[in-house]
Amino acid sequence: MRKTKRLAAMSMACMMAASALTACGAKSAEQTTAAPASGGKETTTAAAGGETKKDSASSDKVKITIWTDNRHDLEYMNKVVDEFNKTNDHIVLDYVVQTENYENLLSMAANSGQSPDIFSQINGDDFRNFVDNGIIQPLNDYLTDEFKKVNEVDQHLYEGCNVVGDKIYWVPCGKRSGSRMIYNKDVFDKLGLKPPTKVSELPEIAKKITEAGKGDYYGIIFPGASGPFERWLEHSAEMSGVTLYNYKEGKFDFTGFKPYLETVRQMFQDQSVFPGSASMKIDPVRVQFAEGHAAIHGNASQEATVLTEQFPAKIQWGVAQLPTLDGQIKGAETCSPNTGWMMSAFTEHPKESWEVIEYFGSEKVLKGYLEGGYSLPISNYMDSKIDKSKTGRMADFAGADYEAVYPVAPSVTPDGENYRDALWNACLPEGPSIDETIAKLNQTYNDALEKEVKMGKTKRVVIKDYDPLHPGAGTVEYLDK
């Protein structure tokens, strides 16, 4: 790891860290390290920049420190790292899982000169912030023909997601599906229920299940503190043709979310929601669902391994398409490129860091990763190489033809609440007015957009030929007015 820093970039990183602490709350990070090279001994600290100590057998190797926020694939990645450490003659890997405030920890590590050499990709606003503040470096000069072939790099360049202009900052080697409704088959079969196709059907179904459960199980559960909108409600809205950003007009519009807020509020009022959901994080939600204490849970394809390895379900569970407003699919559901690695701009070992990224994105490693059900293939090349009979429950999340990668909406910083927090608060029975919440979000987000476009901090995204079923097919314009 590099022990120096660029002051200009790092002052911004410090501001980002403070912002993340405000948004997420300052909490200690749980840190897990993979097994060291054969014969090595390790000690681990539970803070950013923790060191793994190795014996003299590997002291002549270059140590590449890797951070990730993925825990669902740890069993497989431990084996990958262990094999690399045993067979590579000049690099040793220190693989660390950070499970709390990931982007915040990366910002603070960069600010303190303790940045890991490489780390699993970050998304959304944080990606652009990391680019703008010089925390990550482009990979264009490192990409090899073999790596490009396996991952079909040129076919998966998403502006604002993994590239900015002609600079590639990470390469997706897999993808996360859009969200699905995950339900307790035992309960649904017992009560003669079928997964709802319309959002308006949710309250009645959730109420029936809750009444039958008599306190043992409830109709539905939400990860209130981990973004229920991000997990699946926003995806259901997309499938109904509702998005937070109007691509044709180039402005934010949250109006279409009103029926979702009303539906969730109704389920809370009916006491059909698992108690404590309003403040639960995602892992406790998963545990309660796996134990059979909630019948409906929504999330994406990572649940395939979560419910079979991380928190093995004690119930029979099924996967269904998300309900939409009228039962019809009128828009694409977001799927997310993932399984990618970023290189720190401050690494002292870029050549070796790339060697590790290339290894993680190799056909050999990806074949086991994809067949293990840790991600879905994003390249046709890898899709043709894997044995799909080995992917287990991941198959339940594959093959939806209504999924797409959306153009990234402008990144803005509005006065007041983040839209996901505001929408969730409006779902609660004691929450603010739904109409007032939506009106305020429309005002604050568009005010921020106008202001930041004029300042040159962001650009207005306009797609005049936008098609909600094929959001990436239109002609994207980036306007400075």
Side-chain angles (χ1 to χ4, degrees):
M1 291 184 291
R2 191 174 178 89
K3 300 300 181 181
T4 60
K5 55 188 176 182
R6 278 187 296 187
L7 294 178
M10 290 304 94
S11 64
M12 288 300 297
C14 186
M15 292 172 62
M16 290 164 56
S19 174
L21 280 169
T22 301
C24 303
K27 298 181 180 179
S28 61
E30 178 186 339
Q31 192 181 78
T32 306
T33 57
S38 181
K41 301 177 181 178
E42 69 174 11
T43 59
T44 306
T45 63
E51 298 291 336
T52 298
K53 298 179 181 179
K54 304 179 294 298
D55 63 14
S56 59
S58 57
S59 62
D60 57 339
K61 295 184 178 182
V62 172
K63 184 176 79 169
I64 298 299
T65 300
I66 306 162
W67 283 10
T68 180
D69 62 344
N70 290 321
R71 189 167 57 183
H72 73 288
D73 60 4
L74 185 58
E75 180 179 356
Y76 179 77
M77 290 305 297
N78 274 346
K79 294 176 182 178
V80 170
V81 169
D82 187 52
E83 180 180 358
F84 185 96
N85 283 340
K86 288 178 179 178
T87 58
N88 192 278
D89 61 2
H90 60 286
I91 300 173
V92 64
L93 305 183
D94 177 16
Y95 189 85
V96 182
V97 178
Q98 302 282 12
T99 60
E100 296 285 351
N101 299 337
Y102 184 58
E103 292 83 1
N104 175 44
L105 286 176
L106 286 168
S107 297
M108 292 191 296
N111 183 53
S112 64
Q114 296 292 318
S115 177
D117 298 283
I118 65 175
F119 45 91
S120 58
Q121 97 277 349
I122 55 174
N123 302 301
D125 293 348
D126 292 303
F127 165 68
R128 191 57 187 254
N129 286 335
F130 274 42
V131 171
D132 292 344
N133 295 315
I135 295 175
I136 53 179
Q137 62 176 291
L139 302 177
N140 301 59
D141 293 340
Y142 301 101
L143 296 170
T144 61
D145 290 342
E146 176 67 15
F147 187 88
K148 287 183 176 180
K149 179 186 76 172
V150 170
N151 297 290
E152 296 172 355
V153 174
D154 293 338
Q155 297 178 38
H156 299 288
L157 304 177
Y158 306 108
E159 180 67 29
C161 176
N162 69 320
V163 305
V164 175
D166 59 357
K167 295 180 179 179
I168 303 171
Y169 288 90
W170 64 276
V171 174
C173 300
K175 69 178 181 180
R176 174 181 294 178
S177 77
S179 291
R180 305 286 189 269
M181 175 169 286
I182 304 166
Y183 63 99
N184 185 322
K185 281 180 61 66
D186 296 333
V187 169
F188 270 68
D189 290 347
K190 176 183 176 181
L191 300 179
L193 299 173
K194 294 182 179 180
T197 59
K198 297 180 181 180
V199 172
S200 59
E201 297 169 349
L202 276 169
E204 182 180 356
I205 289 176
K207 189 173 183 178
K208 284 183 178 179
I209 293 171
T210 302
E211 290 174 349
K214 298 179 179 179
D216 186 35
Y217 54 82
Y218 291 79
I220 195 166
I221 192 167
F222 293 103
S226 303
F229 268 84
E230 183 179 10
R231 296 285 174 180
W232 71 274
L233 294 170
E234 200 170 329
H235 292 260
S236 172
E238 290 170 345
M239 293 168 62
S240 301
V242 175
T243 56
L244 62 94
Y245 187 78
N246 185 319
Y247 288 95
K248 284 188 175 182
E249 296 184 13
K251 67 179 184 179
F252 290 94
D253 186 359
F254 298 89
T255 308
F257 288 106
K258 181 176 179 178
Y260 288 90
L261 309 187
E262 293 173 333
T263 298
V264 176
R265 179 175 282 194
Q266 183 63 54
M267 289 189 287
F268 270 108
Q269 291 173 338
D270 293 341
Q271 298 184 338
S272 301
V273 182
F274 184 87
S277 283
S279 59
M280 291 181 77
K281 292 188 176 182
I282 184 60
D283 276 354
V285 164
R286 288 162 164 162
V287 169
Q288 294 300 330
F289 179 81
E291 293 285 335
H293 298 310
I296 298 174
H297 165 50
N299 214 343
S301 53
Q302 68 270 23
E303 302 303 272
T305 48
V306 167
L307 294 175
T308 54
E309 293 183 11
Q310 187 177 347
F311 305 118
K314 297 180 180 179
I315 47 96
Q316 296 296 315
W317 54 280
V319 178
Q321 177 183 297
L322 292 177
T324 62
L325 290 178
D326 61 4
Q328 303 297 314
I329 297 177
K330 297 181 177 180
E333 182 187 3
T334 295
C335 63
S336 306
N338 69 0
T339 317
W341 299 91
M342 294 177 167
M343 189 188 301
S344 168
F346 308 110
T347 179
E348 293 180 337
H349 308 289
K351 180 176 177 295
E352 290 82 3
S353 294
W354 168 250
E355 188 174 334
V356 176
I357 294 175
E358 186 174 35
Y359 181 72
F360 285 173
S362 66
E363 180 178 337
K364 173 186 175 182
V365 172
L366 288 178
K367 181 174 171 60
Y369 194 89
L370 298 170
E371 288 180 347
Y374 301 106
S375 184
L376 291 165
I378 196 169
S379 72
N380 291 326
Y381 180 89
M382 285 309 306
D383 187 62
S384 69
K385 296 296 181 180
I386 62 173
D387 181 348
K388 295 182 177 62
S389 68
K390 296 180 178 180
T391 61
R393 296 305 300 267
M394 183 62 77
D396 293 331
F397 296 84
D401 58 5
Y402 54 81
E403 294 181 340
V405 178
Y406 273 76
V408 178
S411 173
V412 299
T413 305
D415 291 332
E417 286 184 298
N418 170 280
Y419 79 89
R420 284 177 175 143
D421 293 336
L423 292 176
W424 176 243
N425 288 335
C427 287
L428 305 178
E430 68 279 9
S433 162
I434 290 174
D435 288 333
E436 290 179 6
T437 296
I438 290 173
K440 185 175 182 180
L441 287 174
N442 286 342
Q443 184 72 45
T444 58
Y445 269 79
N446 283 307
D447 284 351
L449 178 60
E450 295 292 337
K451 177 181 177 181
E452 294 180 29
V453 167
K454 289 179 180 178
M455 294 173 61
K457 292 179 64 176
T458 192
K459 289 184 181 294
R460 190 184 305 275
V461 177
V462 175
I463 308 175
K464 294 178 181 178
D465 55 350
Y466 174 76
D467 177 356
L469 287 168
H470 305 94
T475 302
V476 182
E477 296 180 84
Y478 296 93
L479 308 180
D480 55 9
K481 59 180 181 179

